[in-house]
Amino acid sequence: NAGVMQNPRHLVRRRGQEARLRCSPMKGHSHVYWYRQLPEEGLKFMVYLQKENIIDESGMPKERFSAEFPKEGPSILRIQQVVRGDSAAYFCASSVSWGVNQPQHFGDGTRLSIL
Amino acid sequence: DAKTTQPNSMESNEEEPVHLPCNHSTISGTDYIHWYRQLPSQGPEYVIHGLTSNVNNRMASLAIAEDRKSSTLILHRATLRDAAVYYCILRDDPQGAQKLVFGQGTRLTINP
């Protein structure tokens, strides 16, 4: 009865490198959401994906950030040319379907640190 | 999503009930009231949700005012593990955005 799995739990990158964060949703869930929590700030929505499709990316920074959820395999949040301001906890959530009546189930996040 | 107002912090004792309030005076008829909590160093955890009637599950109860302008999350018997930040979130627009909009929440401290 595995929950949402995120890896790695901790990731350290130097400025200018790429960061790849992975999220495996709960079994049977085809809707994935990414959120970011900057130090001492609240959780902010980034992107919502449904298998192979980006449904809402209104919270994604315009540059360097991308997300995918392929037919097979985990969802990936990719950050290119990381900067110090990208240091944050990144959380993935999944739900069995869409709708405001559907809970989202979260993983324990990836803590990204930029040196 | 409509705005909610919660106290910044609350404190309670172990094994006592806890009532966490949330005001949402601009709630619309189709808004669902959701509660999540975030324990230290963990991701948010779904707690409960409701529309008009009071709701109970294994974690908590949700009491919704008759005019729906406020609600209360009730932890019947707090444990140390219930120390967390609790978020009250309104969700609407079934055809639209699926995102959760988190406010600052209420930081709940449980004293042994």
Side-chain angles (χ1 to χ4, degrees):
Chain A
N1 194 22
V4 176
M5 303 299 292
Q6 290 189 250
N7 66 81
R9 288 296 307 274
H10 301 273
L11 182 61
V12 179
R13 285 287 178 267
R14 297 188 181 279
R15 281 177 294 171
Q17 291 185 321
E18 178 178 288
R20 280 182 176 247
L21 287 61
R22 287 177 291 279
C23 168
S24 296
M26 287 181 69
K27 188 175 181 180
H29 288 197
S30 58
H31 300 252
V32 164
Y33 316 80
W34 286 91
Y35 294 81
R36 178 167 68 172
Q37 189 167 33
L38 294 166
E40 306 305 322
E41 292 191 21
L43 286 138
K44 303 287 186 198
F45 167 81
M46 298 181 75
V47 63
Y48 160 43
L49 309 101
Q50 189 181 353
K51 278 293 184 182
E52 300 185 272
N53 294 305
I54 295 175
I55 308 300
D56 180 359
E57 56 182 346
S58 59
M60 287 279 269
K62 293 289 183 273
E63 297 176 347
R64 302 186 298 108
F65 285 72
S66 62
E68 63 177 12
F69 188 17
K71 189 176 180 181
E72 301 291 338
S75 175
I76 305 288
L77 180 68
R78 181 183 178 205
I79 311 172
Q80 295 178 288
Q81 298 176 314
V82 296
V83 301
R84 287 248 170 90
D86 297 332
S87 295
Y90 291 82
F91 294 98
C92 169
S94 72
S95 65
V96 67
S97 68
W98 64 270
V100 294
N101 197 23
Q102 293 296 321
Q104 293 181 16
H105 300 273
F106 285 78
D108 280 335
T110 293
R111 277 139 186 90
L112 176 64
S113 298
I114 309 301
L115 301 179
Chain B
D1 292 311
K3 186 175 172 57
T4 63
T5 304
Q6 299 178 254
N8 288 334
S9 63
M10 289 183 64
E11 198 169 327
S12 186
N13 298 318
E14 202 175 7
E15 299 187 4
E16 290 184 357
V18 180
H19 290 233
L20 294 158
C22 181
N23 287 321
H24 27 78
S25 58
T26 58
I27 192 170
S28 72
T30 54
D31 283 334
Y32 278 81
I33 303 161
H34 286 246
W35 283 82
Y36 285 76
R37 70 181 185 180
Q38 187 174 20
L39 279 67
S41 301
Q42 294 187 25
E45 177 184 26
Y46 165 77
V47 179
I48 200 168
H49 76 278
L51 183 61
T52 55
S53 303
N54 294 345
V55 185
N56 300 295
N57 66 21
R58 65 175 179 80
M59 291 181 69
S61 295
L62 176 59
I64 301 173
E66 198 169 333
D67 63 6
R68 302 212 321 127
K69 293 184 184 302
S70 66
S71 60
T72 302
L73 180 71
I74 302 166
L75 307 178
H76 293 285
R77 197 162 169 267
T79 68
L80 295 177
R81 195 195 171 275
D82 291 320
V85 179
Y86 287 77
Y87 299 97
C88 170
I89 299 170
L90 299 186
R91 298 186 68 190
D92 63 358
D93 191 4
Q95 300 299 328
Q98 299 301 306
K99 60 187 177 186
L100 295 172
V101 179
F102 290 85
Q104 293 306 305
T106 296
R107 184 174 298 277
L108 177 64
T109 301
I110 303 296
N111 300 315

